Amino acid sequence: MICQECGKRPATLHFTKIVNGEKTEFHICEACARERGELIPGTSGGFSIHNLLSGLLDFEPSSGGKTVKPTAPRCETCGLTYAQFSKLGRFGCSECYKHFEDRLDPLFKRVHGSTVHTGKVPKRTGGRIQLRREIERLKKELVVRVEHEDFESAARIRDQIKELERNISGL
């Protein structure tokens, strides 16, 4: 793909901007990105996805109730240290997830907003899954309403849950 700015060099950076709900995609070369100021602040010389990921991986979580080991954690299976992981950007084995869990959960929350993967559901085939998710959301809301002693709203939510559960059994 050729740069949309200069039309000469290959586009190496692909941006998606969402401003006020309006999505704009553009593909530009590194030189044009530098001119437009589209580089990530704090990167030296140019855009580097490695610098972006390293910056996220160097994130030190606040204790948040969990104790973070003062020494550099090391995977007992493959021997990879967290410092090596943050430089490489990948784990040495599947056990690394368990050994670095105390540092990964805050990282996942920071990047994804959650530590639970919910995925996407196709609209035309995911009717039952979407209904189940809506029921789960309503059940959480029901608990909140009961805790706040808003029993009228709680009763309406209870009725919505029952209706959705009937809809699921009919699918």
Side-chain angles (χ1 to χ4, degrees):
M1 178 173 273
I2 299 296
C3 174
Q4 292 176 327
E5 285 288 308
C6 66
K8 299 174 186 173
R9 293 178 287 272
T12 56
L13 300 171
H14 309 279
F15 290 95
T16 302
K17 280 189 173 181
I18 301 174
V19 179
N20 295 329
E22 189 174 319
K23 182 177 172 181
T24 307
E25 292 183 5
F26 54 99
H27 313 278
I28 58 177
C29 65
E30 198 168 317
C32 291
R34 211 174 278 117
E35 289 172 17
R36 287 178 63 160
E38 296 291 348
L39 298 176
I40 293 178
T43 57
S44 58
F47 176 82
S48 166
I49 193 70
H50 177 70
N51 289 343
L52 171 66
L53 292 175
S54 290
L56 291 172
L57 295 173
D58 286 339
F59 168 68
E60 282 295 323
S62 62
S63 62
K66 292 184 180 179
T67 55
V68 179
K69 297 171 187 136
T71 59
R74 178 181 294 274
C75 176
E76 295 170 8
T77 305
C78 69
L80 186 78
T81 64
Y82 188 81
Q84 290 170 320
F85 161 64
S86 65
K87 286 183 182 155
L88 293 172
R90 62 178 178 266
F91 285 134
C93 70
S94 62
E95 294 296 311
C96 289
Y97 285 97
K98 293 176 189 162
H99 295 289
F100 301 133
E101 180 180 19
D102 59 340
R103 291 178 179 237
L104 294 177
D105 281 349
L107 174 67
F108 292 150
K109 276 190 176 180
R110 182 175 174 204
V111 174
H112 296 291
S114 175
T115 58
V116 178
H117 177 71
T118 55
K120 294 182 181 179
V121 179
K123 288 183 180 178
R124 60 191 147 109
T125 60
R128 185 173 295 220
I129 295 170
Q130 288 174 342
L131 286 174
R132 285 189 182 137
R133 286 186 180 172
E134 180 65 10
I135 289 170
E136 289 304 314
R137 187 191 68 74
L138 287 171
K139 284 181 179 179
K140 289 177 185 175
E141 181 67 22
L142 178 64
V143 170
V144 170
R145 297 294 178 176
V146 170
E147 286 174 357
H148 288 100
E149 298 182 3
D150 184 1
F151 299 117
E152 290 179 23
S153 296
R156 281 194 298 274
I157 292 171
R158 179 203 60 211
D159 294 342
Q160 285 179 318
I161 292 170
K162 285 181 181 179
E163 181 64 31
L164 290 174
E165 286 174 341
R166 278 194 293 269
N167 290 344
I168 284 180
S169 63
L171 290 179

